[in-house]
Amino acid sequence: MNKIFAFFGVAAFMAALGSAQADVVGKGIEQVRSDDGIDRVEERLRTALDERGMVLVTMVDHSANAERVSLSLPPTRMFLFGNPEVGTPMMQCQGSLALDLPQKMLLREEDGTTLIEWNDPHYLAARHNLEHCDLPLGRVADALSGIANQAAGG
């Protein structure tokens, strides 16, 4: 009997987890999917950043870090990048925005798909109370979407 409850408990947890992951999109997180593997998506992401004159600050390989402590994680890579000409005025407007800059783009594999995720700049503006600043948030949002779509192969 306990095995039945345990099974349903695990099933409920997994369903909630899947639901929770789906619920983050649209709450400040944007997402594009690619049927290509993470290595190919990464290659296109690096090209997209380079073509737009973005500075790639670093890449964090979360799955490699997990492996170092004998844990496993599907391929998960975070890219930090930006353009100081755009980011600096945003931080001048509100210094706390430096918590969220440079921009980040996450590549992660899930169920045979590579997800490309990033923070919506309008969400960041609301989070840091940037309403009074004259910032090109639409252009930033379009640039991030364009980068993600190019990385996805679209």
Side-chain angles (χ1 to χ4, degrees), residues 108-135:
R108 62 187 181 93
E109 286 187 357
E110 180 179 280
D111 300 327
T113 300
T114 300
L115 302 177
I116 305 161
E117 297 171 319
W118 67 97
N119 289 316
D120 178 352
H122 294 97
Y123 166 80
L124 294 179
R127 177 179 179 193
H128 294 281
N129 298 316
L130 302 179
E131 297 83 20
H132 63 284
C133 303
D134 184 25
L135 300 172

Side-chain angles (χ1 to χ4, degrees), residues 52-55 81-94 97-98 100-103 121 124 130 133-144 147:
R52 289 168 175 80
M54 298 285 181
V55 176
F81 61 91
N83 177 338
E85 290 180 22
V86 176
T88 301
M90 295 173 82
M91 290 183 284
Q92 288 171 332
C93 174
Q94 178 56 268
L97 189 61
D100 290 310
L101 294 180
Q103 293 288 340
L124 294 179
L130 302 179
C133 303
D134 184 25
L135 300 172
L137 297 176
R139 283 195 356 238
V140 173
D142 289 346
L144 291 171
I147 290 167

Side-chain angles (χ1 to χ4, degrees), residues 11-30:
F13 173 76
M14 295 306 287
L17 180 61
S19 172
Q21 288 177 344
D23 286 344
V24 300
V25 175
K27 294 183 179 176
I29 299 173
E30 298 294 322

